[in-house]
Amino acid sequence: MAGERRDDGGRVREVAGVFLRLGATAFGGPAAHVALMDREIVERRGWVDRQTFLDLLAATNLIPGPNSTEMAIHLGYHRAGVRGLVAAGVCFIVPAMLIVLGFAWFYREYGSLPQVEWVLWGIKPVILAVVAQARWGLGKTALRGWPPAALAAAVAAGSLLGAGEVTLLLGAGLASIAAARVRHWAAPGAGLALLWPAAAEAAGAVGAMGGAAVAPTLAKLTLFFLKVGSVLYGSGYVLLAFLQADLVDRWGWLTSTELLDAVAVGQFTPGPVFTTATFVGYLVAGLPGALLATGGIFLPSFLFVGLLSPLVPRMRRSRILASFLDGVVAGSFALMAVVTWYLGRAALPDPWTWLLALGSLGVLLRWRVNSAWLVAAGGVAGLLRYLAG
């Protein structure tokens, strides 16, 4: 394993190149980003095997912050040590940050966003195909045998019924330990009692900073986004609720419309969804605000992964911790499957999008095509559809 993390310049440059490209082309949110990383890192380059990839994904799901960015940071560390950790995270974030910064400038100058619906119409079905193909490969490793499959089904049901993701993952890990100790899998059903009540999302549990409306300062803006990056679990929609409570309702730094537009930009641009912070920071305090907000929301992820990543191999070597990790892996797969279901409902509104999705899936299954080309082709298809009226 030490060789895998050797910190030489060639590997660091390799890591930087891969994650720069992913940061500029990885549309579709965290589930799609993980699928793209699986294809690029596991299938095409073989930096890690699929079990290691899943272990890192499970560890990522247990800490707060942007999951796909943390996955990139884990993989960079695994390939090229500490310098690889920094290179992967920075290179995955910066392209998205620059794109969002461009949208923020346009928005503040002209009061609106350029129309991108036609591009997204073509890209979303392709992303869904990439996610579906990756889920198949990940599932064959994550769900070996009926016990983890049963546990995954229980976690998926809990997620659909509204249980909190951290509670579900911790419960899945504990249920897996219990099952391993008693040598039968009646435990997952019993273990579900540990995780069934939905815990309040971390965003709702964090106390407010400050009281009545206050003037924005760079220090307060930076501290706020450091707090968000340190405690926030969940999707961009959870981020929306968190930002609404402080930036709109409590401090009055943004209007609700501005905040919704900021979250929309984070959703439809490539790279991490949390680059919403870049947009917000620019609206509040210009370029310095954009840079500090972006640094604030992502810095905790580098620290968390730097502390956790060296421990993941040791967890796998411990019998008890390996059982816990197996449960979290199964639970993580289930949560990704639920997200894929929701993505599919949004991405396939008409027969043409179904055709794009199925055609892309066929290409992925038949040939080892770089998914970035498929995403670009989807964008072109959307443009042609727009021009055809």
Side-chain angles (χ1 to χ4, degrees):
M1 191 64 67
E4 287 291 334
R5 295 192 297 269
R6 192 177 70 245
D7 193 2
D8 61 81
R11 288 195 174 191
V12 173
R13 288 191 293 273
E14 184 183 24
V15 166
V18 168
F19 285 103
L20 267 175
R21 179 166 55 78
L22 285 174
T25 61
F27 290 87
H33 300 166
V34 170
L36 292 167
M37 290 177 199
D38 176 66
R39 282 182 56 79
E40 183 70 30
I41 304 304
V42 178
E43 295 183 8
R44 296 187 68 233
R45 297 176 180 271
W47 290 0
V48 298
D49 58 33
R50 184 150 278 137
Q51 183 62 63
T52 300
F53 186 88
L54 285 166
D55 287 348
L56 295 176
L57 181 61
T60 294
N61 279 310
L62 289 173
I63 58 177
N67 287 352
S68 58
T69 304
E70 290 167 347
M71 192 65 183
I73 296 169
H74 270 300
L75 293 167
Y77 176 83
H78 197 89
R79 183 63 175 170
V82 174
R83 289 172 60 199
L85 176 153
V86 174
V90 170
C91 290
F92 188 60
I93 294 165
V94 167
M97 182 193 75
L98 294 176
I99 294 169
V100 171
L101 194 58
F103 276 110
W105 173 85
F106 191 98
Y107 184 85
R108 197 160 79 166
E109 291 294 318
Y110 300 102
S112 63
L113 293 170
Q115 297 299 311
V116 295
E117 289 86 354
W118 48 271
V119 176
L120 294 177
W121 179 91
I123 286 176
K124 286 180 179 179
V126 177
I127 290 295
L128 185 66
V130 173
V131 172
Q133 191 267 347
R135 291 294 171 270
W136 176 256
L138 291 172
K140 288 189 292 186
T141 302
L143 308 180
R144 289 175 293 197
W146 70 265
L151 183 55
V155 170
S159 179
L160 289 169
L161 290 172
E165 63 177 26
V166 179
T167 306
L168 288 167
L169 290 173
L170 290 175
L174 294 174
S176 182
I177 291 174
R181 290 180 69 85
V182 300
R183 297 184 179 277
H184 66 76
W185 280 79
L192 195 57
L194 297 170
L195 54 99
W196 196 254
E201 293 291 350
V206 176
M209 289 175 50
V214 294
T217 65
L218 290 176
K220 195 170 186 65
L221 181 73
T222 304
L223 289 173
F224 171 73
F225 279 105
L226 275 170
K227 179 187 72 170
V228 173
S230 298
V231 302
L232 183 63
Y233 287 90
S235 68
Y237 300 108
V238 179
L239 177 63
L240 172 61
F242 204 112
L243 300 182
Q244 174 78 28
D246 280 342
L247 300 184
V248 177
D249 298 338
R250 184 166 295 111
W251 296 337
W253 291 0
L254 297 176
T255 67
S256 292
T257 298
E258 288 173 333
L259 180 58
L260 287 172
D261 288 340
V263 173
V265 169
Q267 295 279 347
F268 68 62
T269 50
V273 173
F274 277 29
T275 48
T276 292
T278 306
F279 195 98
V280 169
Y282 189 85
L283 293 187
V284 172
L287 181 60
L291 297 177
L292 289 171
T294 305
I297 202 169
F298 286 109
L299 178 60
S301 295
F302 287 88
L303 300 177
F304 289 145
V305 174
L307 293 171
L308 181 62
S309 202
L311 301 179
V312 174
R314 300 179 191 177
M315 292 174 67
R316 179 54 65 185
R317 290 194 291 268
S318 163
R319 183 173 299 179
I320 292 177
L321 291 178
S323 296
F324 179 82
L325 203 55
D326 285 339
V328 176
V329 163
S332 298
F333 180 84
L335 293 178
M336 289 190 297
V338 171
V339 170
T340 303
W341 164 255
Y342 287 122
L343 283 174
R345 294 173 60 187
L348 305 175
D350 57 54
W352 291 106
T353 49
W354 276 93
L355 185 62
L356 271 174
L358 293 174
S360 300
L361 183 59
V363 170
L364 289 169
L365 293 174
R366 178 64 179 84
W367 296 286
R368 296 177 66 85
V369 177
N370 189 319
S371 52
W373 292 108
L374 279 178
V375 170
V380 171
L383 175 59
L384 293 176
R385 174 62 187 258
Y386 171 75
L387 295 175

